[in-house]
Amino acid sequence: MSYQVLARKWRPRRFVEMVGQEHVLRALVNALDEDRLHHAYLFTGTRGVGKTSIARLFAKSLNCEQGVSSEPCGQCSACVEIAEGRFVDLIEVDAASRTKVEDTRELLENVQYAPTQGRYKVYLIDEVHMLSGHSFNALLKTLEEPPPHIKFLLATTDPQKLPVTILSRCLQFNLKNLMPERIVEHLSYVLGEESIQFDDAALWLLARSAEGSMRDALSLTDQSIAFGAGAVNEADVRAMLGTIDHRIVFELLEALVSQNGKEMMDQVQRMSEFTPDYSGVLAELISILHRIALAQVVPDAIDNALGDQQQVQSLASRMRAEEVQLYYQIALNGRKDLPMVPQPREGLEMTLLRMLAFRPVDQRPVDKPVAQTQTPAVSPKPEMTEASSIPRPEPVAPRSEPVVMQVPSPAVQPEPVAHQAPPVMRQDSPAQTVRRSPDIQSIPQSDIPPWEEVPPEYAAERDDVKKSDRGSEQSPFVETETPVDSRPEVTAEDGVNETPKVAATPVDSIPSDLMSLKLDHWVVLVSSLGLSGMTESLARSLSLEQLSGNRLVFNYTSEQEALLNETHRSRISDAVNAYFNEPVDVEFQLGQQTRETPADYRLRRDRERKAAALKYLKQDPVVLQLIETFGAEIDESSVEALDIE
């Protein structure tokens, strides 16, 4: 007996043997069991998802000698002949080869005659969208009111090409693409029944290459069996499909994480010896980056079906979420641009080089505290020359970005001269680009503009303000205390029934031991825990409500409940324990937040600093002179306080 391919040998013989398409099978089974049959059915979907198989099973259920039911016997002459494709009352038509109206009329001439052998005469028209417009018109009347012994089963991969007059006369069922998991499960069963050795990783490669088509998956499995001499293993399937090895992509990512450009180019060189599909390499890279991003947010969603769970989790713990998202977007754009490059290898190399060149601005380590940054030194302001004091008109271009004004220190401001026009600053003057005076510690605190006061969480991160330099003196960056009751009280008229949150009192420094910790310290302490990504955002939305010994109780709202899973809670708890270097009992509870969260604290401080900056700007003598001389106005929406990093 000649060999029968898997796609034909394992075609389902009953509805229960169908893989997937439960939404279609349920409707058909109920219609058959309850005898509520329509005269025309339309099955749509991509190739190899079961359109023809379901139509033949439906025809078998209609003509089984045991009666109409969803469970045909499979042994009577009608069932056997339908399965073998020689049942006289099942008329299968390939619409792609019979598109003319004469063919349709010839087909419909026999509709009026009763079936020869079965209970119903079934017309199975495949690729029905290929019929001409005249053929559809010829089919309309018969399709709307056929004789009681006629059933029409139409199948198409492109339902958009069907006239609405045809669609309105049929019950339409849209068959979905099969998920890779379902395909792998079915291939495992088939190969087990065929007594063929296989690797799970090889089946996943075949399932992804099939793109949702079970027939394509079985055909590729046939090909891989022949390629592997009776076995299906990962190496042979990769060689047959031309896909790249997972390990090479992981080695590229390892070199990327370590910023080793030479190693990346060496991997590309070794890869090019096998003439791979470079678009497939980028596709594999995109898929792995997606799994890494998923592992960072939902670690439990990563399984070991591809045998790379440990590698994915390792990279997820060493890469920042911002880096993963940036690399994913770069790889996606690189694959899109690949057809336009002279050589595909050049496109892959340029994509990898972009990943090396462009990185997120925030380069803090993943599991370490925030790295301190140092304010660059600034050259002193040059002396004002005679030419610079002469007013000259300059064109003012409209600016959409916020205006940041640098005001000279009172110690260096020139004395106002009567009847003298305000000095015009030269275009190359450093005062236009310098964010603040370099020798800020030498300026008395009373001379520092209120809008340049720095919140504690920023002051703690600066290198230029060291504890050794302060001694017992008060730091110029310490905020002035804001009374707790200075916040507007929330009343019932505002539509909010919650109790107003207690605003945190600004603190001079962040405590390093647990005994010195107070409730108000949490709003500035969170910046020193070394958290990142979504964990850091969730930590900033918590309020520290109770503090008793080594027990900290945080409150969260119902909005954060779905996101604050065990993974994020464990990271926050570990960060707190690592900061104080002693065991801390961290508890999380759902409840009303009566104290200010770090996120609320930062918003409040930004508003206060902007208001102080605007007040200082309105009182500045230079600004007042500009307003008086030129009739200028201050655009309050463009005023922003300087951020001191």
Side-chain angles (χ1 to χ4, degrees):
M1 182 177 179
S2 61
Y3 175 75
Q4 191 175 17
V5 299
L6 296 178
R8 294 184 59 188
K9 182 178 180 180
W10 290 95
R11 185 185 290 271
R13 296 176 174 83
R14 297 183 302 164
F15 284 119
V16 293
E17 296 178 3
M18 285 290 302
V19 179
Q21 317 304 344
E22 288 82 3
H23 62 295
V24 176
L25 299 178
R26 179 179 178 181
L28 296 179
V29 168
N30 291 339
L32 289 167
D33 292 340
E34 299 177 6
D35 196 21
R36 301 179 65 87
L37 301 174
H38 201 266
H39 59 270
Y41 295 84
L42 174 64
F43 302 102
T44 66
T46 187
R47 76 276 180 267
V49 294
K51 299 185 297 297
T52 305
S53 297
I54 291 179
R56 289 179 179 176
L57 290 175
F58 193 71
K60 186 185 296 186
S61 300
L62 291 174
N63 289 291
C64 180
E65 295 178 359
Q66 302 296 328
V68 178
S69 71
S70 60
E71 290 288 341
C73 65
Q75 299 177 356
C76 63
S77 59
C79 292
V80 173
E81 290 178 4
I82 290 176
E84 296 177 354
R86 53 185 181 87
F87 189 64
V88 66
D89 288 325
L90 175 59
I91 303 152
E92 296 193 27
V93 180
D94 181 17
S97 59
R98 304 186 65 177
T99 60
K100 298 181 180 179
V101 64
E102 292 82 4
D103 298 328
T104 304
R105 289 173 179 171
E106 180 182 353
L107 184 68
L108 298 177
E109 285 179 357
N110 298 322
V111 169
Q112 56 184 334
Y113 301 110
T116 303
Q117 182 179 353
R119 188 177 295 106
Y120 292 97
K121 182 180 289 188
V122 181
Y123 286 87
L124 174 54
I125 306 178
D126 200 6
E127 301 298 335
V128 68
H129 67 275
M130 299 294 289
L131 293 178
S132 64
H134 295 294
S135 298
F136 282 124
N137 294 333
L139 188 63
L140 282 179
K141 190 60 179 178
T142 305
L143 190 63
E144 183 177 7
E145 297 178 355
H149 58 269
I150 297 296
K151 300 294 180 184
F152 285 99
L153 305 180
L154 313 180
T156 178
T157 57
D158 196 357
Q160 288 80 11
K161 293 183 178 180
L162 296 181
V164 292
T165 51
I166 295 292
L167 296 175
S168 64
R169 288 166 168 80
C170 303
L171 290 185
Q172 184 174 349
F173 297 95
N174 183 25
L175 278 68
K176 303 176 182 178
N177 287 358
L178 297 176
M179 299 295 293
E181 293 81 0
R182 302 297 298 273
I183 296 179
V184 169
E185 180 183 353
H186 186 63
L187 291 181
S188 301
Y189 171 76
V190 170
L191 293 178
E193 293 294 321
E194 295 287 336
S195 300
I196 296 175
Q197 296 181 354
F198 62 90
D199 296 339
D200 290 337
L203 298 188
W204 278 97
L205 290 173
L206 295 173
R208 289 204 300 267
S209 299
E211 297 180 350
S213 171
M214 182 61 74
R215 183 174 62 227
D216 289 3
L218 291 171
S219 300
L220 289 173
T221 304
D222 255 329
Q223 184 179 352
S224 63
I225 293 173
F227 190 88
V232 180
N233 55 71
E234 181 182 5
D236 291 338
V237 172
R238 287 190 182 278
M240 181 191 73
L241 298 176
T243 55
I244 195 66
D245 193 347
H246 246 46
R247 292 171 294 183
I248 297 180
V249 181
F250 276 109
E251 290 173 358
L252 286 175
L253 285 174
E254 290 286 350
L256 178 62
V257 172
S258 59
Q259 291 292 291
N260 191 340
K262 183 179 183 303
E263 178 63 22
M264 291 181 66
M265 294 301 105
D266 290 343
Q267 289 294 339
V268 175
Q269 174 62 32
R270 287 192 288 269
M271 186 192 313
S272 63
E273 297 176 0
F274 301 96
T275 61
D277 178 16
Y278 292 99
S279 178
V281 176
L282 287 176
E284 198 75 26
L285 183 62
I286 292 171
S287 177
I288 294 177
L289 288 172
H290 163 259
R291 288 170 60 80
I292 292 174
L294 195 61
Q296 291 178 335
V297 180
V298 190
D300 298 336
I302 302 299
D303 54 23
N304 199 30
L306 301 179
D308 60 353
Q309 182 180 22
Q310 184 176 359
Q311 293 171 293
V312 169
Q313 291 178 345
S314 174
L315 287 171
S317 63
R318 294 157 52 198
M319 300 176 67
R320 297 181 59 81
E322 296 86 349
E323 292 178 342
V324 177
Q325 296 295 332
L326 178 62
Y327 296 155
Y328 184 91
Q329 196 65 32
I330 291 176
L332 205 62
N333 292 333
R335 191 185 184 202
K336 181 177 62 176
D337 298 340
L338 203 60
M340 295 183 288
V341 299
Q343 296 293 333
R345 177 179 172 179
E346 296 178 4
L348 174 63
E349 291 178 346
M350 285 302 298
T351 301
L352 296 176
L353 291 176
R354 285 194 202 105
M355 294 180 181
L356 283 175
F358 298 100
R359 305 189 66 188
V361 176
D362 190 357
Q363 290 299 313
R364 293 177 295 173
V366 178
D367 297 324
K368 297 181 180 180
V370 180
Q372 294 181 339
T373 58
Q374 184 174 0
T375 304
V378 184
S379 58
K381 179 179 177 180
E383 297 181 358
M384 185 173 296
T385 61
E386 181 179 358
S388 62
S389 62
I390 301 177
R392 68 185 74 171
E394 293 183 1
V396 180
R399 300 176 58 180
S400 58
E401 66 273 7
V403 177
V404 180
M405 187 170 185
Q406 175 67 25
V407 181
S409 174
V412 297
Q413 286 183 358
E415 294 293 336
V417 181
H419 307 291
Q420 181 179 352
V424 178
M425 205 171 286
R426 291 187 302 175
Q427 188 173 359
D428 57 349
S429 175
Q432 294 182 349
T433 56
V434 175
R435 302 180 63 175
R436 61 182 295 123
S437 177
D439 194 14
I440 187 65
Q441 298 185 21
S442 63
I443 301 177
Q445 185 179 359
S446 59
D447 294 338
I448 297 179
W451 52 278
E452 286 196 356
E453 293 178 356
V454 185
E457 66 266 29
Y458 290 109
E461 298 178 3
R462 290 178 52 85
D463 282 341
D464 54 340
V465 182
K466 300 181 179 179
K467 294 182 179 180
S468 59
D469 296 335
R470 294 187 202 156
S472 60
E473 298 179 0
Q474 184 180 5
S475 171
F477 294 102
V478 177
E479 299 173 348
T480 57
E481 291 193 358
T482 303
V484 173
D485 58 354
S486 63
R487 291 165 52 88
E489 183 178 0
V490 182
T491 62
E493 298 178 357
D494 300 325
V496 181
N497 297 324
E498 297 182 358
T499 305
K501 296 182 181 179
V502 178
T505 304
V507 294
D508 294 344
S509 61
I510 304 176
S512 58
D513 58 291
L514 192 59
M515 297 299 296
S516 305
L517 182 66
K518 298 180 181 179
L519 294 177
D520 289 340
H521 289 153
W522 170 244
V523 295
V524 294
L525 175 64
V526 67
S527 300
S528 302
L529 296 181
L531 301 173
S532 62
M534 183 175 292
T535 306
E536 182 182 12
S537 300
L538 291 172
R540 291 185 178 276
S541 65
L542 301 175
S543 63
L544 181 57
E545 300 289 340
Q546 299 180 29
L547 175 60
S548 175
N550 66 336
R551 178 172 173 266
L552 306 181
V553 179
F554 294 95
N555 278 17
Y556 61 91
T557 63
S558 57
E559 287 79 5
Q560 290 94 35
E561 183 176 10
L563 299 175
L564 191 63
N565 54 30
E566 291 299 329
T567 301
H568 297 300
R569 297 186 185 193
S570 176
R571 291 176 181 174
I572 297 173
S573 178
D574 294 344
V576 172
N577 280 266
Y579 178 84
F580 291 109
N581 197 21
E582 57 179 296
V584 182
D585 184 14
V586 180
E587 297 182 10
F588 303 88
Q589 62 182 12
L590 177 63
Q592 183 178 0
Q593 294 180 332
T594 61
R595 301 196 63 83
E596 200 171 35
T597 66
D600 295 336
Y601 174 76
R602 173 166 289 185
L603 291 176
R604 177 173 65 84
R605 291 298 301 144
D606 288 345
R607 290 194 297 266
E608 292 174 355
R609 293 173 67 243
K610 181 174 180 178
L614 186 60
K615 179 180 178 181
Y616 181 85
L617 193 62
K618 290 180 178 180
Q619 297 175 355
D620 185 84
V622 178
V623 176
L624 294 176
Q625 193 170 8
L626 290 173
I627 294 176
E628 181 181 357
T629 304
F630 300 104
E633 295 180 357
I634 298 178
D635 185 3
E636 297 185 1
S637 62
S638 66
V639 177
E640 288 188 1
L642 288 175
D643 290 331
I644 308 301
E645 300 294 344

